[in-house]
């Protein structure tokens, strides 16, 4: 299993891409206006103990911590996830199910697809999860839909992270 880490995922969402997504999904204009009203002229201030406060107006990204943010982000990356095929994702946590033979190809393909929508993969934080024998972990069913026996077997595995 390939656990992909996206660099500054929520911060990197392009607003033009979000507007296209809303239109493509047929989100009613009154709902779009309500969403964008919470983003218009949002001022952000960064405080650092060693430097002067830096302030700027938000021009891209999805607010972290907002209740709608994981849903908006998930909808934003959904076309990419569909192209990647077998994956499990929630917001910016993306896990690709893969075989030992195509890990590199899957990572390269994912990197290229995410780049199209302005997101970048952090190769230094992306992990290959392997079982205790060193074989990349291949999960046949997501934990949510797994049988009780599959869940028990998966929980008994000794997993290691390899970077």
């Amino acid at each position: 299993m390939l656990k992909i880490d996206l660099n500054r995922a929520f911060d990197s969402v392009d607003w033009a891409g979000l507007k296209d997504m809303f239109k493509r999904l047929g989100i009613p204009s009154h709902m779009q206006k309500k969403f964008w009203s919470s983003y218009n002229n949002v001022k952000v201030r960064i405080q650092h103990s060693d430097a002067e406060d830096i302030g700027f107006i938000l021009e891209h990204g999805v607010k972290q911590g907002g209740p709608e943010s994981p849903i908006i982000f998930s909808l934003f990356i959904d076309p990419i996830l569909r192209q990647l095929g077998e994956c499990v994702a929630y917001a910016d946590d993306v896990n690709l199910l893969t075989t030992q033979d195509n890990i590199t190809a899957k990572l390269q393909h994912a990197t290229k697809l995410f780049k199209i929508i302005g997101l970048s993969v952090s190769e230094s934080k992306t992990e290959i999860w392997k079982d205790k024998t060193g074989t990349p972990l291949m999960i046949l069913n997501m934990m949510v839909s797994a049988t009780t026996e599959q869940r028990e077997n998966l929980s008994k595995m000794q997993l290691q992270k390899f970077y």
Side-chain angles (χ1 to χ4, degrees), residues 10 21 68-79 81 89-92:
F10 278 49
M21 178 200 72
E68 77 287 349
S69 297
I71 296 167
I72 298 294
F73 187 82
S74 294
L75 290 171
F76 183 71
I77 67 169
D78 183 65
L81 299 178
Y90 175 73
D92 61 341

Side-chain angles (χ1 to χ4, degrees), residues 5 12 35 110 130 160:
D5 183 81
S12 302
F35 173 81
K130 300 181 180 187
Q160 298 174 352

Side-chain angles (χ1 to χ4, degrees), residues 1-6 77-90 92-100 102-114 121 126-130 136-140 142:
M1 181 167 67
L2 191 58
K3 184 181 180 301
I4 293 181
D5 183 81
L6 298 170
I77 67 169
D78 183 65
I80 301 303
L81 299 178
R82 289 177 187 273
Q83 289 185 45
L84 288 173
E86 294 180 323
C87 61
V88 179
Y90 175 73
D92 61 341
D93 296 321
V94 179
N95 298 297
L96 295 178
L97 307 180
T98 185
T99 63
Q100 189 169 359
N102 69 357
I103 289 174
T104 303
K106 277 264 196 175
L107 180 57
Q108 289 171 345
H109 185 59
T111 300
K112 188 165 76 171
L113 289 175
F114 281 119
V121 171
T126 294
E127 304 168 346
I128 300 170
W129 287 77
K130 300 181 180 187
L137 181 63
M138 293 166 274
I139 300 176
L140 299 176
M142 294 187 304

